[in-house]
Amino acid sequence: MRAFRAAVEAHDMDAVEALLADDVVFSSPVVFKPYRGKAITAAILRAVERVFEDFRYERVIGEADGRDHALVFAARVGDREISGCDFLHLDASGRIAELTVMVRPLSGAQALQAAMAAQFERIAEEVQETPRTQEARARRAG
């Protein structure tokens, strides 16, 4: 999915959020139970953007007009190199209905889990934000 890749690479998390279906299901590489809903998924993806360093997509697998895509990436969390894949499934309207992330190696996944745990309070705050608060945050960032 070109739009998702372009938004992630541009660090445009508002554009990423706009691509999510309202009832998107996000499956984390380090948490067993999936997260459901646009607000929590967007907040988690914003946290990932803060945690990952030197993030880059290396390959895209899937047909350009298909509903299933795999985006292979590499990144760093602290001193740990990570390779992984974002699996996207689009709904009939072209929004991301399912996003599953897998990472390796185990030491990288553990570093990611620790870094994301440190983001937990901020993620919770972002999920609770009102649209007005979100607009103010976007203006400050932009």
Side-chain angles (χ1 to χ4, degrees), residues 71-123:
L71 290 78
V72 179
F73 65 83
R76 190 170 44 81
V77 176
D79 64 349
R80 299 291 180 195
E81 296 291 326
I82 293 177
S83 58
C85 192
D86 292 336
F87 294 96
L88 308 175
H89 175 72
L90 309 181
D91 65 16
S93 66
R95 298 259 187 250
I96 299 169
E98 296 174 25
L99 171 56
T100 300
V101 180
M102 295 189 181
V103 298
R104 65 163 308 280
L106 178 58
S107 62
Q110 290 167 330
L112 177 60
Q113 182 179 30
M116 290 300 291
Q119 295 285 321
F120 182 78
E121 282 187 39
R122 186 167 176 185
I123 291 169

Side-chain angles (χ1 to χ4, degrees), residues 19-35:
L19 295 169
L20 301 173
D22 290 338
D23 58 350
V24 62
V25 176
F26 174 73
S27 296
S28 165
V30 295
V31 177
F32 176 73
K33 186 177 177 183
Y35 296 93

